[in-house]
């Protein structure tokens, strides 16, 4: 299972899942974007097609076995588009798991960040939660964070050609949608719309928490169930794009 992080997030968010899911034969391969965590010294990618091409190239060597894509928030948007590219390349996923993101035929919440000055953008980021109060008071934190978040929000706001992504047969695999009960940005009612993007099975699950329920709720039992078709050889290496 390749895990695509949320805006500003990195591979470390998914590392605790490895031991939990290994017992069920599920390998967890977190993706590390340029400019994030262990790749902090690299320039973040701003362009949608550049990121998708980099993801496809990075994952290609490991697609000789059944695999799933898990995307969280911005990562969900990327996972959806990447899945279509991989279908077109003849290496489709067996499962797409979407967390904390609206269906692609709804306007991206990231669009509201366009043209914001730094102070307004900071306020927007704090509304999502996930940033400790103590860190938010440190200018050094924002000096490191804002360029990365600007790049990630540009990706998250990129327009999608839905005809291109759905015409390639990308709807032939099941989709599971995970929502936080208290998520005001991508609640369960809206995320139910992901059903429109699969001709296979669909499941909607809710977890205690807000937009970052990943950090408080135990999603591993649900992953174990929803990845039944994807259980295969170990994919535990960290993937860099």
């Amino acid at each position: 299972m390749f895990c695509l992080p949320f805006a500003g997030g990195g591979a470390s968010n998914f590392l605790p899942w490895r031991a939990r899911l290994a017992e069920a034969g599920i390998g967890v391969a977190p993706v590390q974007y340029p400019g994030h965590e262990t790749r902090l010294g690299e320039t973040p990618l701003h362009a949608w097609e550049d990121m998708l091409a980099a993801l496809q190239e990075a994952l290609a060597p490991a697609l000789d076995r059944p695999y799933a894509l898990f995307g969280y928030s911005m990562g969900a948007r990327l996972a959806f588009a990447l899945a279509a590219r991989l279908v077109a390349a003849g290496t489709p996923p067996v499962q797409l798991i979407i967390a904390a993101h609206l269906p692609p035929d709804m306007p991206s919440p990231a669009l509201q960040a366009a043209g914001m000055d730094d102070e307004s953008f900071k306020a927007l980021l704090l509304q999502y939660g996930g940033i400790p109060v103590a860190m938010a008071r440190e200018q050094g934190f924002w000096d490191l964070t804002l360029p990365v978040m600007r790049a990630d929000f540009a990706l998250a706001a990129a327009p999608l050609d839905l005809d291109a992504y759905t015409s390639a047969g990308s709807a032939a695999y099941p989709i599971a949608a995970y929502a936080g009960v208290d998520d005001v940005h991508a609640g369960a009612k809206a995320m139910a719309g992901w059903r429109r993007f699969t001709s296979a099975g669909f499941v909607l699950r809710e977890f205690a928490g807000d937009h970052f329920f990943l950090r408080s709720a135990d999603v591993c039992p649900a992953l174990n169930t929803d990845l039944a078709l994807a259980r295969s050889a170990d994919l535990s290496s960290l993937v860099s794009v």
Side-chain angles (χ1 to χ4, degrees), residues 3-16 18 30-44 130 135 141 144-145 148-149 152 214-215 238-240:
C3 301
L4 280 63
F6 47 86
S12 65
N13 290 279
F14 307 107
L15 296 180
R18 284 182 171 175
V31 171
Q32 194 78 288
Y33 306 136
H36 297 64
E37 293 188 340
T38 58
R39 306 182 68 189
L40 193 60
E42 301 179 39
T43 302
M135 294 180 68
F141 166 77
L144 290 173
T145 301
V148 174
M149 294 302 295
D152 286 357
L214 171 71
R215 295 174 175 174
L238 188 72
V239 176
S240 294

Side-chain angles (χ1 to χ4, degrees), residues 33-240:
Y33 306 136
H36 297 64
E37 293 188 340
T38 58
R39 306 182 68 189
L40 193 60
E42 301 179 39
T43 302
L45 294 178
H46 293 71
W48 181 252
E49 289 301 321
D50 289 348
M51 177 63 88
L52 288 177
L55 286 167
Q56 185 171 5
E57 181 180 2
L59 270 57
L63 302 184
D64 58 347
R65 68 205 77 180
Y67 73 93
L69 296 176
F70 176 97
Y72 203 98
S73 196
M74 178 193 76
R77 190 176 178 87
L78 285 169
F80 168 73
L82 177 62
R85 291 175 66 117
L86 295 175
V87 167
T91 53
V94 298
Q95 178 87 13
L96 176 61
I97 302 177
I98 297 298
H101 199 285
L102 299 175
D105 55 353
M106 297 181 68
S108 169
L111 288 169
Q112 62 186 308
M116 278 187 172
D117 59 30
D118 283 353
E119 292 306 312
S120 299
F121 189 45
K122 289 179 188 179
L124 175 64
L125 296 178
L126 292 173
Q127 289 176 16
Y128 277 86
I131 299 176
V133 175
M135 294 180 68
R137 297 194 185 107
E138 298 293 331
Q139 184 57 42
F141 166 77
W142 291 114
D143 290 342
L144 290 173
T145 301
L146 284 181
V148 174
M149 294 302 295
R150 291 282 192 189
D152 286 357
F153 266 62
L155 289 171
L160 297 182
D161 181 352
L162 292 182
D163 290 337
Y165 289 130
T166 57
S167 63
S170 58
Y173 46 76
I175 293 178
Y178 292 5
V181 172
D182 300 315
D183 188 349
V184 298
H185 303 282
K189 183 177 180 180
M191 287 191 64
W194 279 99
R195 185 187 302 272
R196 298 188 290 271
F197 292 89
T198 178
S199 59
F202 176 81
V203 62
L204 175 66
R205 301 187 186 278
E206 285 190 276
F207 299 87
D210 55 18
H211 191 68
F212 288 99
F213 66 86
L214 171 71
R215 295 174 175 174
S216 57
D218 183 5
V219 302
C220 284
L223 288 170
N224 195 357
T225 298
D226 296 330
L227 286 169
L229 294 176
R231 293 172 184 171
S232 61
D234 184 23
L235 294 176
S236 61
S237 60
L238 188 72
V239 176
S240 294

